[in-house]
Amino acid sequence: MTPTNETPEPHGSVADAVKGNWVDRLAPAPLRPYLRLSRADRPIGTWLLLLPCWWGLLLAMLQDGRAGWHDLWIFVGCGIGAFLMRGAGCTWNDITDRNIDGSVSRTASRPIPSGAVTVTQAMAWLVLQALIAFCILLTFNWAAILMGIISLLPVCIYPFAKRFTWWPQIFLGLAFNWGALLAWVAHTGRLEWPAVVLYIGGICWTLFYDTIYAHQDAEDDALIGVKSTARLFGTESPKWLRRFLVLAVLLQMVAVIGAVVGASPVALLVALLGTWAFGWHMHWQLSRFDLEDDARQLMLFRSNRDAGLLPLPFFAVALFV
């Protein structure tokens, strides 16, 4: 046998998981298929669900100038809730896509198509995650609880969107950026227009990063008839990505101005610097985008955690100036 320097993949590991992730190395073996079902071995999705929550919370605090201990719990609770609801959403997605995932090379190793988890077991896992997340939601105010319940609608619809529209990324954006509204309401007790603008800007950001992500599956999707913006735009994708970049940055700027307009000019400038840093990172991604390089696309997609984190320290500092 010819010797090889490659490290063998852990049994049951999913193809696009982060190499050496904590699930493969540290999680108890019986729990690993369920954690993989929740994408715990691919944490980027939790970040992309969580970051709009933190944007919304900090801008709400800037808007009314209040910061209390309950805001710290909202910050932490959104983190736990994002992990759980991203897991529940991914579980639902894999249940509905079980007949599609087996036909796509990147997803064929997922727990349901690979046989590691049955559909019944996946449903039980989904319910458990959702119930724990609901208990966290109950610690927020009634307006936020209502927002959380409404968020289930886009979550339930998203897995089916690629069957009936070329723009399933819009439905993903509706679901993944809902936290901007929920966290704002959890702090203020009411929904205000800067939160809505921030939400729409987040949807444009999702269109940006998930179009990049979808290019990995474009050929397989074409064979099985699954729709996406990557297939719709094709070689025109860079032009569309630039449009989404501009819209995401402009809308976040409008949200920041609406939230911080009553504060000092220095606070407004600092907060806007956060949005400009966010836009700079998206521009960096676009400058390195390559239609033919799947590994590059995955790297750029994952880098959106850093893009979404960039505004946060600026928003936080603006609270104190």
Side-chain angles (χ1 to χ4, degrees):
M1 182 179 292
T2 304
T4 176
N5 293 324
E6 292 184 4
T7 302
E9 292 294 328
H11 179 68
S13 181
V14 178
D16 60 351
V18 177
K19 304 303 178 186
N21 66 81
W22 73 273
V23 174
D24 290 345
R25 293 185 295 106
L26 303 173
L31 194 56
R32 287 176 190 170
Y34 297 96
L35 291 172
R36 290 168 181 149
L37 195 61
S38 298
R39 312 284 201 276
D41 53 352
R42 284 152 287 170
I44 180 59
T46 298
W47 281 108
L48 295 176
L49 185 63
L50 172 59
L51 290 168
C53 301
W54 286 351
W55 294 348
L57 175 61
L58 285 173
L59 287 186
M61 293 165 67
L62 279 166
Q63 194 261 352
D64 63 13
R66 292 188 299 107
W69 286 110
H70 188 61
D71 294 310
L72 179 60
W73 167 242
I74 295 172
F75 187 88
V76 173
C78 283
I80 302 170
F83 177 82
L84 291 165
M85 287 308 297
R86 189 263 182 142
C90 289
T91 303
W92 172 242
N93 185 81
D94 282 11
I95 291 170
T96 60
D97 282 358
R98 61 188 182 276
N99 296 323
I100 294 176
D101 285 346
S103 302
V104 178
S105 57
R106 186 179 58 81
T107 59
S109 56
R110 287 179 177 175
I112 295 178
S114 69
V117 174
T118 68
V119 174
T120 301
Q121 290 169 331
M123 283 297 300
W125 181 243
L126 185 159
V127 171
L128 177 63
Q129 293 172 97
L131 285 176
I132 299 173
F134 184 64
C135 290
I136 294 172
L137 183 64
L138 290 177
T139 66
F140 297 165
N141 58 43
W142 282 106
I145 293 170
L146 179 60
M147 293 296 295
I149 293 171
I150 295 172
S151 73
L152 295 177
L153 182 61
V155 171
C156 290
I157 293 174
Y158 166 66
F160 302 101
K162 56 183 169 288
R163 295 164 170 84
F164 64 80
T165 177
W166 287 101
W167 294 82
Q169 280 70 25
I170 288 180
F171 288 86
L172 180 66
L174 290 170
F176 259 59
N177 294 280
W178 196 267
L181 305 177
L182 192 153
W184 182 288
V185 170
H187 173 81
T188 65
R190 59 189 180 276
L191 185 61
E192 297 169 288
W193 72 263
V196 177
V197 175
L198 181 67
Y199 175 59
I200 299 170
I203 293 171
C204 294
W205 179 42
T206 302
L207 281 161
F208 177 87
Y209 65 66
D210 206 59
T211 297
I212 293 174
Y213 185 74
H215 269 283
Q216 299 174 88
D217 299 332
E219 291 184 7
D220 287 333
D221 287 348
L223 290 173
I224 60 179
V226 169
K227 299 178 174 67
S228 72
T229 49
R231 286 190 61 208
L232 177 64
F233 303 150
T235 57
E236 296 293 308
S237 285
K239 294 180 181 178
W240 282 94
L241 291 175
R242 186 169 301 280
R243 292 166 185 166
F244 297 144
L245 184 165
V246 171
L247 284 172
V249 173
L250 287 178
L251 288 167
Q252 190 177 105
M253 285 178 61
V254 172
V256 167
I257 293 169
V260 191
V261 68
S264 71
V266 176
L268 178 59
L269 176 60
V270 170
L272 286 174
L273 285 173
T275 295
W276 296 335
F278 170 64
W280 168 83
H281 195 288
M282 293 175 72
H283 174 74
W284 171 83
Q285 292 179 57
L286 184 57
S287 70
R288 283 155 179 78
F289 177 66
D290 185 343
L291 284 166
E292 305 302 324
D293 190 339
D294 289 355
R296 174 77 61 86
Q297 291 155 13
L298 182 59
M299 180 276 291
L300 292 175
F301 167 73
R302 287 175 174 167
S303 77
N304 279 279
R305 179 203 64 173
D306 299 336
L309 281 169
L310 282 172
L312 295 176
F314 292 92
F315 293 173
V317 169
L319 283 168
F320 300 98
V321 297

